[in-house]
Amino acid sequence: MLEEKNDNLHEADGKTGIEINDSVTNEAIETSDSETLTEALETEPDNESVKQEDAHQEALDVITNSNAAESEDETLKERHDIPMQDYNTFSLDALVDELKKLVNADKVMSVKDHIEEIKKAFLLQYHHLIEEKKEEFLASNPDPNEEFEYHLPLKSKFDEYYNVFREKRNAHFKHLQTNLKTNLDNRLAIVEELKELINPQENIKDTLKHFNELRERWKNAGAIPKDKYNHVWNNYHFHVENFYDYLHLDREARDLDFKHNLELKQKIIARVEELVNDADVNKSFRELQDLHRIWKEEIGPVSKEHRDAIWNQFSELTKKIHDKRELLFESQRANEQKNLEVKKEIIAKIEALGSEKVNAHSQWLVQIQKVEDLRNEFFAAGKVPSEVNEETWAAFKTAVRNFNAFKNSFYKDIKKDQNDNLNKKLALVAKAKELQESTDFQATTPVMKQIQEEWKQIGHVPKKYSDKIWKEFKDSCNHYFDKLKEHKSEENSEEVAAFDNKKAYLDVLRAFQLTGEHKTDLDAIKAHIETWKGFGKVPFSRRHIEGKFNKILDALFEKLSLSKKESEMMRFANRIDSLTDSNDTRKLDNEKIFIMRKIEEVQNEIFQLENNIQFFTNTKNAKKENSIVTEVRKNIAIHKESLEVWKDKLKQLRNLGQE
């Protein structure tokens, strides 16, 4: 194949590829000349060329696919000249106006994508509106025999304009399909004629004239189906090469041809270099498409010494523009993600309004206006990522639907709700009276606090009962909490004394000095711990003193040069003793569960690290242990030390349960 496998295009700077005519024929040489044009056009790429192709293939594929699509239908190019707006932010009226304007465009395919986006945005809002109207109808018309009907004049206008577009589009497709097939047949026929040109019996001048006629017919043959685009073009260029090979053009004619093509391609590269720095990325990309089309469809090959270099230069510049375009898309996707977060917040606000208790008509009017404002914000928030668009829209509709159902139920069932609320509060009154004399303060206090919270959450009751049941409930709660207060006062005197003793003992600990004898100092610290525990519990609000005590212990342990495990186990023993003294079995159980989970986590981590080590030791460089492997081994050792500490803690807890 030619260089055109990647290097083939249409028209540059208003000039066409070099024409083979009689002047070229006059400079033709005999077939014995071993250096033919075909040899100069060898297209088998070297390894470096293949690597270059692979490195930039994604960018080149984007260009190829775009050109194939636009070659099939020239009107597609013009869609770039019409800005694609965020139609999700348009109102229904604005969408219909925009549709009317676009339907009148001369080239129907230039507005196809825009109109489909308008249709999508319009139907989303329209269906949402119909659902709301239907819900309102059902709320106010409980009769199942009455059918819901709602007519929106805007929908009729929308359908009218969209039908015009659809008819124009169908007519365009029908005409296009006919032309595409005809053009494809013509191009394939030209290729067949090219094959027949290689005939030594014919006069060379007549053959050249026929060849130039075929080239001109090819240029004017028109669009073909995009899925045939590359195959047909490459087939055509293959037979053009064969014809060049057959002619055996002399060196001078060949070099002139190469030089001319090189100049055209250098001009294209110069223009692409300017496009790389152009701020309008989309415009640059569209012009790059045209330049690729020119490179592919019109300009011939260059000499072998320049071929790889100039193609790599063009390919590299193409990739730069493609990368800038991808960055632009990433920015757009980031904006869509921000829009998604905004819409999620709006949905959350509507959901909150849909569960917020409102018990007066005037308050409901405020709520309704809030939701209407949030709806407008939602439609104005802009596009979200396409993969979550339907999900986001469904969540929005559900939130609004739930709010409307909540609102309608208020107006429909307000009396029933108040009677239900009365029954709930009477049940709480009975519960409060039942518990008001309880002396099991540890079990009863959370229950009394819970029913007080439940009371707050229950809505209004009929006014004639409101004051009476509130007084009964409040009196029962106050009676219980007065008893609790008296009970705490009795306990507090002992706890306050314990706090005072511990506070004074902190000064003793601060003054304590180590002797330097490890066992003597350790025994002394243990004695201080026992003394501290002997003072007993302190008031809950003053438990911060335990933190001060532990801080002093940590400093002493550090001076004592205890191992990390020893100091950790001593602190743990102190903590467990405190929980044991408080008779808090629940916290002891929670501590045991926590330690068992930590053991499992550390074991899993060790297992994963050892698997990693196994992977590294199986590699080619296993004999040379690198810094990563060394670091992993250190981590394994650290985790194993930690595992032993956690196991010792669990063992200590279990022994405590056997005592």
Side-chain angles (χ1 to χ4, degrees):
M1 279 294 295
L2 281 171
E3 181 190 11
E4 274 72 41
K5 180 177 182 181
N6 284 313
D7 183 0
N8 35 15
L9 291 163
H10 181 89
E11 202 171 55
D13 305 324
K15 301 176 184 177
T16 60
I18 193 166
E19 192 78 10
I20 301 177
N21 50 32
D22 291 347
S23 63
V24 175
T25 307
N26 293 335
E27 296 185 17
I29 61 173
E30 295 297 323
T31 57
S32 58
D33 189 345
S34 61
E35 189 171 8
T36 67
L37 181 59
T38 301
E39 291 172 339
L41 298 178
E42 282 295 326
T43 59
E44 190 67 30
D46 56 23
N47 290 337
E48 185 61 32
S49 177
V50 172
K51 291 178 183 178
Q52 294 270 353
E53 258 184 57
D54 292 342
H56 303 87
Q57 196 57 45
E58 180 184 355
L60 298 175
D61 286 346
V62 171
I63 296 289
T64 300
N65 294 336
S66 298
N67 281 341
E70 291 181 3
S71 73
E72 181 180 66
D73 189 348
E74 289 288 332
T75 62
L76 285 175
K77 294 180 183 178
E78 299 181 21
R79 72 188 188 277
H80 301 304
D81 299 327
I82 304 172
M84 178 67 78
Q85 303 186 61
D86 188 354
Y87 296 114
N88 287 316
T89 64
F90 282 38
S91 66
L92 290 173
D93 288 311
L95 288 169
V96 172
D97 290 340
E98 187 71 11
L99 176 61
K100 180 181 178 181
K101 183 176 72 175
L102 293 178
V103 163
N104 293 322
D106 293 335
K107 305 289 180 66
V108 65
M109 296 305 288
S110 66
V111 296
K112 178 179 73 73
D113 294 342
H114 303 70
I115 289 179
E116 290 305 322
E117 287 297 317
I118 290 173
K119 177 185 176 183
K120 206 183 303 179
F122 182 90
L123 291 180
L124 280 176
Q125 292 192 48
Y126 172 72
H127 290 316
H128 180 55
L129 176 65
I130 294 300
E131 287 175 8
E132 286 193 324
K133 295 298 181 183
K134 186 174 183 179
E135 288 169 4
E136 291 176 5
F137 171 81
L138 294 175
S140 57
N141 296 276
D143 185 359
N145 296 320
E146 191 171 352
E147 293 187 1
F148 167 74
E149 288 185 9
Y150 183 79
H151 175 67
L152 181 68
L154 268 177
K155 179 63 164 59
S156 299
K157 282 188 176 181
F158 177 87
D159 290 341
E160 177 188 343
Y161 298 141
Y162 188 79
N163 286 337
V164 171
F165 160 72
R166 188 164 54 187
E167 289 172 4
K168 292 174 68 175
R169 181 190 60 190
N170 291 342
H172 175 81
F173 276 141
K174 186 176 180 180
H175 177 72
L176 182 64
Q177 289 303 318
T178 302
N179 285 347
L180 288 175
K181 185 177 185 309
T182 302
N183 295 341
L184 177 61
D185 291 341
N186 289 339
R187 288 190 184 272
L188 292 176
I190 292 172
V191 172
E192 290 301 316
E193 289 187 53
L194 273 174
K195 294 180 185 179
E196 302 300 324
L197 284 180
I198 303 177
N199 187 351
Q201 306 302 321
E202 291 188 5
N203 182 280
I204 190 65
K205 289 187 176 182
D206 293 337
T207 302
L208 284 172
K209 182 179 179 182
H210 191 187
F211 176 72
N212 286 331
E213 288 174 355
L214 290 176
R215 291 182 65 188
E216 192 62 29
R217 281 168 55 193
W218 181 268
K219 291 177 187 177
N220 299 318
I224 61 174
K226 61 183 178 182
D227 59 330
K228 308 291 185 185
Y229 178 75
N230 280 329
H231 174 73
V232 172
W233 269 100
N234 290 335
N235 201 15
Y236 167 74
H237 285 296
F238 174 77
H239 292 293
V240 168
E241 286 183 21
N242 282 347
F243 184 73
Y244 269 94
D245 186 24
Y246 166 67
L247 287 181
H248 295 292
L249 298 181
D250 65 17
R251 183 192 301 273
E252 184 178 352
R254 181 198 64 191
D255 290 347
L256 285 173
D257 196 6
F258 284 167
K259 181 181 178 183
H260 177 66
N261 294 335
L262 179 61
E263 290 172 354
L264 293 179
K265 291 185 176 183
Q266 285 172 337
K267 288 181 179 180
I268 287 179
I269 287 174
R271 177 55 186 157
V272 178
E273 286 174 338
E274 295 174 1
L275 293 178
V276 168
N277 299 316
D278 196 320
D280 191 338
V281 178
N282 285 326
K283 181 183 174 186
S284 297
F285 180 79
R286 290 196 296 274
E287 187 172 343
L288 180 65
Q289 280 182 242
D290 292 334
L291 293 174
H292 265 267
R293 190 180 293 111
I294 293 168
W295 189 291
K296 175 177 181 178
E297 298 177 7
E298 280 297 330
I299 305 176
V302 300
S303 63
K304 192 171 184 179
E305 62 182 299
H306 297 298
R307 187 175 307 152
D308 288 343
I310 198 164
W311 169 247
N312 290 339
Q313 190 177 1
F314 187 44
S315 175
E316 181 64 33
L317 291 170
T318 296
K319 185 175 183 300
K320 287 182 179 179
I321 294 179
H322 175 266
D323 290 346
K324 286 182 66 176
R325 186 165 175 258
E326 285 299 305
L327 286 176
L328 178 63
F329 288 161
E330 284 296 325
S331 174
Q332 291 172 349
R333 285 189 283 269
N335 287 334
E336 289 177 357
Q337 191 63 38
K338 290 179 182 177
N339 295 341
L340 175 61
E341 296 305 318
V342 170
K343 288 192 173 183
K344 282 183 177 179
E345 290 178 8
I346 292 171
I347 292 170
K349 290 178 182 177
I350 296 175
E351 288 173 341
L353 290 173
S355 60
E356 187 175 321
K357 292 289 183 182
V358 177
N359 297 295
H361 174 66
S362 58
Q363 293 174 328
W364 268 112
L365 292 177
V366 174
Q367 299 293 85
I368 292 168
Q369 186 58 50
K370 286 181 180 178
V371 171
E372 187 61 28
D373 292 341
L374 288 170
R375 283 183 56 186
N376 293 334
E377 288 179 28
F378 183 89
F379 289 125
K383 292 177 65 176
V384 300
S386 58
E387 64 270 16
V388 295
N389 186 50
E390 290 187 12
E391 176 186 339
T392 307
W393 176 249
F396 171 71
K397 287 198 299 181
T398 300
V400 174
R401 185 183 301 116
N402 290 343
F403 171 81
N404 288 333
F406 188 53
K407 173 195 67 177
N408 294 336
S409 67
F410 167 78
Y411 288 108
K412 185 178 179 181
D413 301 322
I414 185 170
K415 187 174 181 179
K416 179 180 178 298
D417 287 345
Q418 288 189 349
N419 286 330
D420 289 343
N421 293 339
L422 175 62
N423 292 330
K424 292 176 183 177
K425 288 193 172 182
L426 286 173
L428 294 182
V429 170
K431 186 72 173 175
K433 287 182 177 181
E434 178 188 336
L435 296 175
Q436 67 180 2
E437 299 296 342
S438 173
T439 56
D440 187 356
F441 297 108
Q442 186 173 0
T444 305
T445 301
V447 177
M448 290 296 286
K449 290 182 178 180
Q450 178 62 31
I451 65 175
Q452 285 182 322
E453 286 300 317
E454 290 178 17
W455 184 280
K456 295 176 185 177
Q457 300 300 322
I458 298 172
H460 288 284
V461 300
K463 191 172 182 180
K464 61 181 178 179
Y465 302 112
S466 179
D467 293 342
K468 179 177 179 294
I469 63 172
W470 167 241
K471 185 176 185 306
E472 291 179 12
F473 183 71
K474 182 177 68 172
D475 289 347
S476 295
C477 290
N478 288 344
H479 179 79
Y480 171 79
F481 283 108
D482 286 342
K483 288 182 62 178
L484 177 64
K485 188 175 180 180
E486 292 174 7
H487 174 73
K488 284 190 172 181
S489 295
E490 295 173 1
E491 289 186 339
N492 280 349
S493 58
E494 296 179 3
E495 293 179 355
V496 169
F499 174 78
D500 292 338
N501 289 333
K502 287 187 174 183
K503 184 178 179 182
Y505 200 70
L506 286 179
D507 294 331
V508 176
L509 282 173
R510 292 189 184 103
F512 174 70
Q513 297 292 328
L514 299 176
T515 64
E517 292 291 333
H518 184 82
K519 185 176 184 312
T520 302
D521 291 336
L522 182 59
D523 291 341
I525 292 173
K526 288 181 178 179
H528 283 306
I529 292 174
E530 291 302 318
T531 302
W532 181 271
K533 289 193 294 185
F535 290 133
K537 290 171 58 178
V538 301
F540 183 83
S541 60
R542 302 185 182 184
R543 293 182 68 182
H544 61 275
I545 198 168
E546 300 293 340
K548 294 182 178 180
F549 174 69
N550 288 329
K551 191 173 181 180
I552 294 173
L553 282 185
D554 289 343
L556 290 173
F557 287 148
E558 187 175 349
K559 290 179 182 178
L560 196 58
S561 299
L562 281 178
S563 69
K564 182 178 179 182
K565 180 178 179 180
E566 287 177 313
S567 60
E568 180 72 18
M569 292 305 299
M570 287 190 70
R571 280 192 290 269
F572 179 71
N574 187 40
R575 169 175 167 75
I576 296 305
D577 286 343
S578 298
L579 293 178
T580 304
D581 292 341
S582 65
N583 293 318
D584 196 338
T585 56
R586 184 177 58 84
K587 287 188 176 179
L588 284 170
D589 289 340
N590 289 343
E591 188 75 23
K592 186 182 295 183
I593 292 170
F594 171 76
I595 291 174
M596 292 171 70
R597 286 177 179 168
K598 290 299 295 185
I599 289 173
E600 184 179 358
E601 288 177 12
V602 175
Q603 285 175 333
N604 288 339
E605 186 66 25
I606 292 172
F607 178 74
Q608 183 62 49
L609 291 170
E610 288 177 340
N611 277 350
N612 293 345
I613 286 289
Q614 186 65 32
F615 171 77
F616 281 115
T617 55
N618 289 336
T619 60
K620 294 180 180 179
N621 297 323
K623 294 181 180 179
K624 282 186 168 184
E625 193 167 279
N626 58 33
S627 60
I628 296 176
V629 176
T630 304
E631 187 63 28
V632 173
R633 292 192 187 280
K634 288 181 181 178
N635 283 338
I636 291 174
I638 292 170
H639 280 78
K640 285 185 176 180
E641 289 179 11
S642 174
L643 181 61
E644 289 303 314
V645 173
W646 287 115
K647 285 183 176 180
D648 286 348
K649 287 182 179 180
L650 182 61
K651 183 178 179 181
Q652 187 171 334
L653 269 176
R654 286 173 172 166
N655 291 338
L656 185 66
Q658 295 172 359
E659 293 176 357

